[in-house]
Each structure stands twice: as C-alpha cells, then as structure tokens.
C-alpha cells in the first residue's frame, strides 16, 4: 500500500480487505475484492437448496456453528449451467453465498471459504472479507498417490490426508494398497493376504506391518465421500506382488515359498501369466475391491514387472504359444487386457502405469505416465486418456535437490508435442508419495509445501507467476500450522558452486530461501558470516549452516581436496549418462568428493551398460606416487562396483604402459550404500597422461532382483598425489 493510500485509509477507515486476508491456494480463476466483512456469529443463519443438505452439515462442523440465528445469512444455492466443480462465491456484509450446480461444486466453494477463515481460534465474531470468486479447475484429475505399503499408515492419518487434499482442491487419493513389502487390504476370500502378506520380518527380527479391515476402508471412504474426494485403489499386477506370493505361493511361476520382502526395489517373482488360477485370484480380489470402492477407475499397477520368471516358465511359454504372442511383453499385454475386460464387464475402467503400453495397450485403458512424459504422449496420440506424474516433477519421495517447490510450480501437464485435440486426453496429474524412505511421520515434510504448487498446477490457469505464488505460500504457512502440518523446506536450503582455477578454489554459497542468513567454517575452526565468495587453497572440510526467522534452516558439508590432477582435463571414450552428469566435464578432477550416502548429490557420474574409459591430461610431465579412484555401490539401485579398475600411463597420449589392474572381492549384493576406492601406489611415477579403465559387470546376475538389466557404474573422482 502506498503512503497516500495508507493515509487515506487511516482517515476514512478504509474497510477493503487486504491481500493478507485473502490468500488462496490454489489461486482462483477470478477474484474481485470489495469493502467490508461478513461477520460470522451465533446469529448467522443458513439457507440452502436441499441438494446440498450433506454439504451444509459439513459446513456447520467446520464453522462449529448451528447456523440457526436470525442475522446475516449463508446461502448454498443451486445454479444451473455450471461445470461439475465450478462455483461462485459472493461475500457481502449481509450474505455469504456459494452457488454451484453440483454437490462437488458446493464442496469446492466451502473449501475456499475454509481458507478465508482466520487461523486464530476463539474469535467469537469471525470476519470474512467481502469478495467475489468465480472458480473452476483446469484439470478434472488432481491426485496424490499415497503408498501405505512400504510403510503402513494408520486410518486417522489417511483421513487427515483426505482432508488436506480437500482443503487444497485436490480430488483424487490414489491409494497404493498392495506391494512386495506388504498387502494392506483385507480380502475375505484370501485371508492369508493379511494374515501373512501384511507382515514382514525386518532385519533386526522385529515384525512390521498392518492392514485396513473392510470396516476401516468403509470409514475412510465415507470420510472421503463427505469431502467429494475419490479414492482410487491400486491393486498391483503382475509385478510388485511378493507379499501376495508369500501368502499364496501357487500364484508364482516357481511355486516356491518366499517371504514378504524387506528391501526396497524390484523383484523378479511376479504372478504367473500361464496359470488360470492366477486369473481366478485376480478376479476374486477385484470383485471384493469393487464391492468396497465406488470409484469408476481401478488402478492395476502394471509397472516394473521383470520378465525373467516368465521367460523361464513352462506355463507362461505355453500361454505365449497358445495365444500366438511374440514375447513376454505381449504376454504382459495379454495379462492386462484380461483384467481390463473383467473390469469393463463390471462397469469400471482400468488405469495402469505406462509400462502397460509395452506389447500393446488394452482398448479402454488409461495410462499413468511416470517414466517421463512419453507414456502420456503415446497414450494421448492413440486416443487413450492419460494421467501425468513424471518422476521429474511429481515424485515427492525425491529430495529437494531433484524436485523443489519452484520446479513443481513450473510443471506443465500438457506435453508440448500434443495437438489441442490430443491434449483433451490429459485428464490431469498426480503427485506421488512413495514411502520407502518416508514412514508416516516424515510424510508431511515431503509433501508440504510442494503439494501447494501441484494443487495450483492442476487447478489454476496455465499462467505462471512464481513471485506471486511464493508470497501466497508464505502466508499459507500459518494455516498449515493451524492444521498441524509439519511442512519441510521449499528447496535445498544451502547449495554451493565451488570452482578450481589455477591453484585455488572459489567457493560461492547460495540460500535456498530469501531472508536466510548463512555462516560457514573451514576444518572446524570458528564460524564466519557468509557474504561473498571466498577462496580456499588447500584440502579442507567446508561446513555451512543457515538461519531463517531466528531458527536453524539447513546444514551443508563438503570435502574439498586439492591434488595433482585437480582441474586437469579428462576425455571420455563413452559418454556419461545424461541423467547423472555430476559436475560435468571436470567431474573427475573437480576436487569435490561425493557423499557415501547419496549418489544423486551431483558429484557422481553414472554409466549404464558400458565400461568407463577416460584419459586424464596433466598438460605437462608430472611426477606422482598414488592414484585413487572411488566408486559408489548400492545394488538395489542397480549401481555396482566395476569388476576391475586399471591404470596406465603415457607421455604422448597414444602409447600407454600398464601400471596396475585392481580387483576387489566385495559381493555385488552387499547390503546398503557405500563408496569403495581403488588405490595404486609406487614411488616416483612420471607421466603426462593417465588412462583409467573401469570394467562393468554387465547385466545384473541371476541372484539380483532385476536379473538381466544393465548395471550402472558411478564414479566420483580420480585423485593423484
Ligand atoms: C513407479 O514409480 N514404479 C510407478
Ligand atoms: Zn509362469
């Protein structure tokens, strides 16, 4: 507000609500502010169209008022000609009117009203700013996936999320209920699914698990129905089915008994596609699922189903012959098509992850695109509906380094490749909250505030204004506090750019959020305020910490090493993968060490299915006595140490003399994440070039859950001293 306007308001008691009092997320399509307030009190009355009786009861609960007074009036009225979720909200001093043509529309309007209520409790006369809103969603599908399998989440928690979705005008809870690590839905006909399949024995011997009884599910469904949130259950076929197979081993190709999985990843034991009793099982399960869930759509998974067992199963091979299929991809398509026919016969529609495109798409299937946008594009171009949730923008289990608030905000669900006609097949999108690394108590921290951006991507117009959005997010935090949401950071709080030049590193630190203060120290000496970039000319441990609103806001640590190859040029025989570029062409000599926990920290270069062969050029003859190269291993992400690492030297860059060929005896399936170094030492070596060759193990071996897939090598630094 400028000075003259402020003075004018002071003198004439200007009563127009300020933007502080009207802060809506997602942003409405149209909003006009006017003067004054509607005062909510025991004297407020209610007039409604009988269609909205249930919604009016919800409203009374929210307001904690009977609405039977004789003063100002809330009106819930039917207005013909509006779209399903469209509504008009008109607030004057005398009345507060929401108009819609459907119950859903009224509910969305009530949620807007809910966001306009003050967060301070105990205000007897609550003032709601006068305004007009005309609102409707850009997309009809605005979802969030909640994985209650990797970690079980209690009934109250699931209901709380339904409410948080409703508050932000999301309308689909995609409820992931079956997995390798746990079956979570009670099925009368197959009691072992929850007697056995819902529980796993953790490595420490403890028993972990849980499931939702049919009564629990009905209660959750009622809670969702009241808020007009659709719950789409996901029952995974044919992969991610270890818990079901542990309960009923006859469902797999081998029939062997296996345990409910305890590690994250992809498993080769999947439902047998050659066995008719598997289809009976599937139909029985889906019959009970459809009895419970009113959703028109049923999600049947379809992702990450390794074909290894099918390749080696007589029954599956027999099915391929008998049905004139070409390969196991077509067998997967056969499998999904059989489910689709069953669902269609029962008046339901099938959704599957984008792998269901492989081997031919079932005729009425909707595709959920996750491995990028390609699945959604192919589906839409072929006249199928699609739901967009690419890992790049929509995976809230990913760290903020991969997907921060700003990135989510700038997501555009309609791929540029599509024509306007094809775009109509994009129903909307979802954010996916997989829970491998997020038990219930961490979910808020990962989902918020990023879901605020997603709600805006899916509801509001396609126009972007991040500054405006960001300022509304700041004002939204008190509302999240009032809802006891334990939200996380907006982006990585502290990042750096550390560049080596001639003989020193220049360190720049960056704040992930405005209004932050930064401090740093070197080698545990005293903390200093960070204002401008500084230099380091020796090997150091750099630490930094942030503060915002007088509270700690993020920590940072980086090992920086200066060695004889720092900043030297490296040439690559085969390029590094473009998803894992590290710091780029100087990654192997940048002096910056990757962490031993996070291979996505930006300091590793990844190579898939190929050896690494690089040549380091010192630029002049250099003497040294030690070469060390370090690699990452985490077999569950298919990242394994090379079989061997060899070093050779040269003076002309063409004729190389072998120095060493180093191997190791670390098992490929060694648990956990770690780094391993290959070191060669010899006094007084002299050379201008060093060649480093790391030999890949190739395809993942038989004992690996993803047998037959290409393995990865992740390399950090070539250190020469
Ligand atoms: C998925 O993330 N596997 C769908
Ligand atoms: Zn089989």
């Amino acid at each position: 507000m400028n000075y003259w306007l402020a003075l004018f308001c002071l003198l004439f008691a200007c009563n127009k609500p300020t933007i502080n009092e009207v802060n809506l997320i997602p942003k409405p399509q149209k909003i006009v502010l006017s003067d004054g307030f509607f005062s909510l009190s025991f004297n407020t009355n209610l007039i409604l169209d009988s269609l909205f009786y249930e919604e009016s009861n919800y409203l009374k609960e929210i307001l904690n008022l009977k609405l039977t007074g004789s003063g100002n009036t809330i009106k819930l009225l039917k207005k013909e000609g509006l779209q399903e979720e469209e509504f008009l909200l008109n607030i004057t001093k005398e009345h507060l009117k929401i108009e819609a043509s459907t119950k859903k529309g009224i509910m969305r309007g009530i949620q807007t009203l809910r966001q306009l209520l003050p967060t301070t409790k105990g205000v007897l006369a609550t003032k709601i700013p006068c305004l007009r809103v005309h609102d409707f969603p850009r997309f009809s599908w605005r979802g969030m996936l909640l994985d209650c399998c990797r970690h079980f989440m209690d009934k109250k928690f699931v209901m709380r999320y339904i409410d948080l979705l409703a508050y932000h005008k999301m309308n689909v809870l995609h409820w992931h209920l079956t997995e390798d690590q746990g079956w979570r839905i009670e099925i009368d006909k197959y009691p072992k699914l929850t007697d056995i399949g819902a529980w796993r024995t953790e490595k420490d011997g403890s028993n972990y698990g849980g499931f939702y009884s049919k009564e629990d599910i009905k209660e959750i469904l009622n809670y969702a129905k009241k808020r007009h949130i659709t719950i789409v259950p996901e029952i995974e076929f044919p992969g991610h089915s270890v818990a079901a197979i542990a309960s009923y081993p006859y469902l797999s190709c081998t029939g062997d008994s296996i345990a409910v999985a305890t590690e994250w990843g992809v498993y080769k034991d999947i439902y047998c596609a050659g066995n008719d009793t598997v289809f009976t099982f599937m139909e029985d399960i889906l019959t009970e699922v459809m009895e419970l869930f009113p959703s028109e759509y049923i999600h049947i998974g379809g992702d990450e189903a390794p074909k290894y067992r099918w390749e080696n199963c007589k029954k599956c091979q027999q099915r391929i012959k008998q049905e004139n299929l070409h390969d196991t991809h077509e067998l997967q398509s056969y499998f999904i098509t059989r489910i689709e026919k069953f669902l269609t016969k029962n008046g339901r529609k099938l959704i599957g992850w984008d792998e269901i495109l492989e081997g031919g798409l079932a005729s009425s299937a909707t595709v959920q695109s996750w491995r990028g946008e390609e699945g959604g594009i192919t589906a839409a171009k072929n006249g199928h509906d699609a739901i967009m949730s690419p890992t790049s923008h929509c995976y809230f289990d990913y760290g903020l380094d991969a997907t921060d608030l700003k990135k989510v905000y700038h997501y555009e669900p309609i791929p540029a490749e599509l024509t306007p006609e094809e775009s109509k097949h994009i129903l909307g999108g979802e954010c996916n909250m997989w829970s491998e690394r997020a038990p219930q108590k961490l979910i808020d921290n990962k989902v918020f505030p990023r879901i605020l951006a997603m709600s805006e991507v899916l509801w509001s117009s396609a126009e972007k204004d991040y500054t405006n959005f960001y300022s509304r997010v700041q004002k939204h935090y008190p509302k999240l506090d009032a809802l006891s949401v334990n939200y996380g950071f907006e982006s990585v709080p502290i990042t750096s750019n550390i560049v080596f030049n001639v003989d020193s590193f220049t360190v720049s630190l960056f704040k992930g959020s405005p209004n932050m203060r930064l401090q740093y120290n070197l080698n545990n000496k005293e903390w200093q305020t960070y204002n401008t970039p500084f230099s380091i000319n020796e090997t150091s441990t750099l630490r930094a910490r942030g503060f915002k609103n007088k509270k700690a806001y993020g920590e940072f640590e980086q090992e920086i090493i200066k060695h004889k190859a720092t900043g030297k040029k490296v040439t690559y025989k085969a390029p590094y993968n473009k998803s894992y570029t590290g710091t780029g062409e100087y990654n192997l000599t940048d002096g910056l060490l990757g962490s031993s926990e996070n291979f996505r920290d930006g300091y590793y270069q990844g190579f898939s299915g190929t050896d690494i062969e690089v040549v380091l050029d010192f630029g002049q003859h250099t003497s040294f006595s030690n070469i060390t190269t370090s690699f990452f291993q985490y077999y569950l992400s298919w990242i394994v140490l090379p079989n061997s690492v060899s070093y050779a030297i040269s003076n002309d860059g063409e004729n190389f003399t072998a120095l060493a060929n180093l191997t190791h005896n670390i098992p490929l399936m060694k648990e956990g994440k770690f780094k391993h170094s290959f070191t060669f030492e010899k006094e007084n070596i002299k050379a201008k070039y060093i060649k480093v060759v790391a030999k890949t193990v190739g395809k993942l071996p038989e004992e690996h859950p993803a047998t037959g897939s290409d393995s990865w090598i992740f390399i950090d630094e070539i250190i020469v001293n």
Side-chain angles (χ1 to χ4, degrees):
M1 212 182 279
N2 72 30
Y3 173 78
W4 289 110
L5 185 60
L7 189 67
F8 178 85
C9 285
L10 204 66
L11 292 176
F12 300 99
C14 179
N15 221 0
K16 193 162 176 150
T18 69
I19 196 72
N20 280 319
E21 290 152 332
V22 183
N23 189 74
L24 297 169
I25 294 182
K27 186 178 179 168
Q29 306 290 350
K30 255 187 222 155
I31 180 164
V32 180
L33 306 183
S34 50
D35 287 351
F37 294 88
F38 178 91
S39 292
L40 200 60
S41 72
F42 293 126
N43 217 13
T44 302
N45 187 20
L46 176 70
I47 294 175
L48 75 148
D49 188 297
S50 59
L51 176 64
F52 305 133
Y53 176 72
E54 282 154 341
E55 290 69 27
S56 74
N57 284 337
Y58 172 81
L59 178 64
K60 288 176 196 170
E61 272 173 43
I62 295 295
L63 299 178
N64 197 20
L65 286 173
K66 292 203 175 75
L67 299 179
T68 51
S70 56
N72 57 4
T73 309
I74 296 180
K75 297 175 182 173
L76 303 182
L77 302 180
K78 186 168 160 75
K79 186 177 173 77
E80 298 296 347
L82 299 184
Q83 299 166 31
E84 196 182 31
E85 294 185 280
E86 185 174 4
F87 66 91
L88 299 165
L89 168 65
N90 185 5
I91 306 176
T92 66
K93 286 172 199 153
E94 294 77 31
H95 71 228
L96 187 160
K97 183 168 69 176
I98 308 177
E99 293 171 294
S101 69
T102 69
K103 291 156 74 69
K104 269 188 197 164
I106 283 291
M107 179 53 62
R108 305 300 175 242
I110 290 174
Q111 296 300 336
T112 294
L113 170 58
R114 206 177 150 200
Q115 286 201 11
L116 292 171
L117 298 173
T119 49
T120 39
K121 293 210 171 81
V123 182
L124 192 59
T126 292
K127 288 160 79 188
I128 305 171
C130 292
L131 48 76
R132 279 169 180 273
V133 167
H134 177 195
D135 217 353
F136 50 88
R138 180 172 173 219
F139 292 102
S140 64
W141 194 288
R142 306 180 304 279
M144 168 173 146
L145 173 145
L146 192 59
D147 169 10
C148 293
C149 298
R150 271 54 174 264
H151 282 101
F152 182 68
M153 299 175 203
D154 63 51
K155 182 175 72 181
K156 286 271 178 280
F157 183 83
V158 177
M159 295 202 284
R160 176 171 169 271
Y161 258 86
I162 289 166
D163 189 55
L164 289 169
L165 290 177
Y167 190 66
H168 297 98
K169 295 198 177 61
M170 304 286 277
N171 64 352
V172 173
L173 174 71
H174 171 172
W175 199 10
H176 190 73
L177 285 167
T178 71
E179 252 309 334
D180 298 317
Q181 296 85 2
W183 183 282
R184 305 283 174 228
I185 169 172
E186 182 180 45
I187 301 291
D188 296 332
K189 202 158 180 182
Y190 299 91
K192 287 187 193 168
L193 287 172
T194 43
D195 287 348
I196 295 173
W199 308 95
R200 61 182 187 243
T201 307
E202 301 284 29
K203 287 197 197 76
D204 63 3
S206 63
N207 194 27
Y208 180 93
F211 65 91
Y212 306 99
S213 69
K214 290 202 162 167
E215 286 315 306
D216 290 336
I217 291 173
K218 284 177 195 161
E219 203 180 326
I220 291 170
L221 279 162
N222 272 333
Y223 189 88
K225 181 168 179 250
K226 190 163 163 182
R227 288 156 181 79
H228 295 284
I229 300 290
T230 301
I231 302 185
V232 176
E234 181 181 356
I235 311 294
E236 280 255 24
F237 300 104
H240 289 289
S241 45
V242 168
I245 293 169
S247 313
Y248 296 99
Y250 75 84
L251 297 169
S252 76
C253 289
T254 66
D256 294 343
S257 72
I258 55 173
V260 176
T262 53
E263 296 207 84
W264 319 130
V266 171
Y267 287 83
K268 60 179 171 284
D269 285 303
I270 66 175
Y271 294 117
C272 177
N275 185 347
D276 276 325
T277 57
V278 168
F279 291 93
T280 309
F281 170 82
M282 250 163 41
E283 294 186 2
D284 289 342
I285 299 290
L286 290 172
T287 299
E288 293 194 32
V289 167
M290 288 186 289
E291 279 165 13
L292 277 172
F293 290 88
S295 164
E296 184 186 11
Y297 289 90
I298 308 287
H299 203 304
I300 56 78
D303 60 322
E304 299 180 319
K307 303 300 181 294
Y308 180 80
R309 291 293 189 211
W310 290 2
E311 299 283 359
N312 296 287
C313 169
K314 277 208 187 87
K315 282 175 285 182
C316 286
Q317 291 303 318
Q318 176 64 24
R319 176 86 72 195
I320 288 177
K321 243 195 236 137
Q322 182 193 317
E323 298 290 333
N324 277 322
L325 307 173
H326 283 102
D327 54 20
T328 49
H329 293 294
E330 290 194 5
L331 184 56
Q332 156 126 344
S333 168
Y334 166 85
F335 195 102
I336 303 293
T337 303
R338 259 183 89 160
I339 311 180
E340 184 224 19
K341 288 203 181 106
F342 179 73
L343 289 177
T344 307
K345 199 174 76 189
N346 286 278
R348 306 297 180 102
K349 292 182 174 169
L350 176 146
I351 309 176
W353 298 106
D354 56 44
E355 285 93 331
I356 67 169
L357 285 158
E358 292 163 7
L361 188 55
S363 61
S364 71
T366 296
V367 173
Q368 182 161 10
S369 195
W370 73 280
R371 297 174 302 174
E373 299 182 290
E374 290 74 17
I377 294 168
T378 307
K381 286 199 178 291
N382 287 292
H384 286 261
D385 287 345
I387 296 160
M388 304 302 286
S389 57
T391 51
S392 56
H393 294 78
C394 304
Y395 270 49
F396 289 1
D397 54 323
Y398 284 23
L400 292 168
D401 49 346
T403 309
D404 64 9
L405 181 70
K406 192 170 189 175
K407 185 162 180 192
V408 178
Y409 179 79
H410 284 103
Y411 178 53
E412 170 48 52
I414 301 209
E417 288 87 339
L418 298 185
T419 64
E421 202 50 37
E422 290 161 350
S423 305
K424 291 182 188 154
H425 287 294
I426 305 296
L427 302 181
E430 281 185 12
C431 46
N432 292 348
M433 187 56 240
W434 298 105
S435 66
E436 287 94 331
R437 286 153 203 95
Q440 178 173 309
K441 68 175 194 299
L442 285 183
I443 299 289
D444 278 13
N445 183 277
K446 295 197 172 263
V447 171
F448 286 90
R450 289 184 284 190
I451 199 172
L452 305 180
M454 189 52 86
S455 80
E456 201 131 312
V457 164
L458 296 171
W459 177 281
S460 309
S461 85
E463 278 164 39
K464 304 282 182 193
D465 181 349
Y466 188 69
T467 309
N468 173 285
F469 170 70
Y470 187 80
S471 103
R472 280 181 292 117
V473 169
Q474 307 314 303
K475 292 171 199 143
H476 199 73
Y477 285 138
K479 297 179 200 177
L480 297 181
D481 289 331
L483 293 165
S484 303
V485 175
N486 188 18
Y487 45 87
F489 296 135
E490 293 151 1
S491 60
V492 179
I494 306 171
T495 52
S496 66
N497 182 31
I498 304 171
V499 186
F500 185 79
N501 193 9
V502 190
D503 68 347
S504 67
F505 295 91
T506 303
V507 178
S508 309
L509 297 174
F510 303 99
K511 305 169 188 176
S513 169
N515 311 323
M516 255 178 85
R517 259 185 331 112
L518 283 185
Q519 294 181 336
Y520 72 96
N521 83 37
L522 294 171
N523 301 320
N524 272 331
K525 301 214 182 81
E526 72 283 6
W527 287 102
Q528 308 183 48
T529 300
Y530 176 82
N531 294 315
T532 51
F534 57 93
S535 293
I536 297 178
N537 53 19
E538 57 184 18
T539 293
S540 309
T541 300
L542 166 68
R543 290 196 176 80
R545 60 187 186 190
F547 299 89
K548 184 175 169 177
N549 299 331
K550 300 209 168 89
K551 280 195 233 161
Y553 199 85
E555 288 176 2
F556 171 94
E557 183 175 326
Q558 179 66 52
E559 293 297 332
I560 302 172
I561 50 168
K562 192 171 157 192
H563 56 90
K564 291 201 167 170
T566 312
K568 301 300 181 207
K569 189 164 173 53
V570 174
T571 50
Y572 294 77
K573 185 161 176 202
Y576 41 87
N577 186 282
K578 65 181 193 318
S579 299
Y580 297 99
T581 61
T583 57
E585 56 180 326
Y586 284 93
N587 186 75
L588 302 182
T589 54
D590 60 8
L592 306 172
L593 294 196
S595 85
S596 39
E597 291 96 43
N598 180 11
F599 60 86
R600 288 199 182 91
D601 67 3
Y603 296 115
Y604 289 96
Q605 275 178 340
F607 294 76
S608 176
T610 168
D611 295 334
I612 300 178
E613 181 173 332
V614 296
V615 174
L616 187 159
D617 180 356
F618 285 109
Q620 63 190 61
H621 281 90
T622 302
S623 58
F624 52 92
S625 58
N626 183 314
I627 311 174
T628 294
T629 315
S630 46
F631 297 85
F632 197 89
Q633 178 161 308
Y634 181 47
Y635 82 90
L636 286 172
S637 289
W638 311 4
I639 301 168
V640 298
L641 296 177
N643 270 336
S644 66
V645 175
S646 63
Y647 301 127
I649 50 172
S650 167
N651 290 325
D652 60 8
E654 280 171 22
N655 303 298
F656 281 87
T657 310
L659 275 184
N661 187 40
L662 309 172
T663 56
H664 66 91
N665 51 17
I666 296 168
L668 180 136
M669 304 278 282
K670 182 177 166 178
E671 254 169 49
K673 300 172 180 172
F674 58 92
K675 268 174 102 164
H676 180 75
S677 297
F678 295 81
T679 298
F680 174 71
E681 277 183 306
K682 186 172 172 239
E683 281 304 306
N684 206 20
I685 313 169
K686 269 205 175 94
K688 190 159 174 268
Y689 300 91
I690 302 178
K691 182 191 281 187
V692 179
V693 178
K695 288 276 183 202
T696 173
V697 305
K699 305 268 184 221
L700 292 164
E702 163 81 13
E703 71 267 25
H704 192 282
T707 316
S709 302
D710 281 332
S711 63
W712 287 82
I713 308 181
F714 268 54
I715 184 169
D716 180 3
E717 183 87 358
I718 303 171
I719 304 169
V720 184
N721 275 310

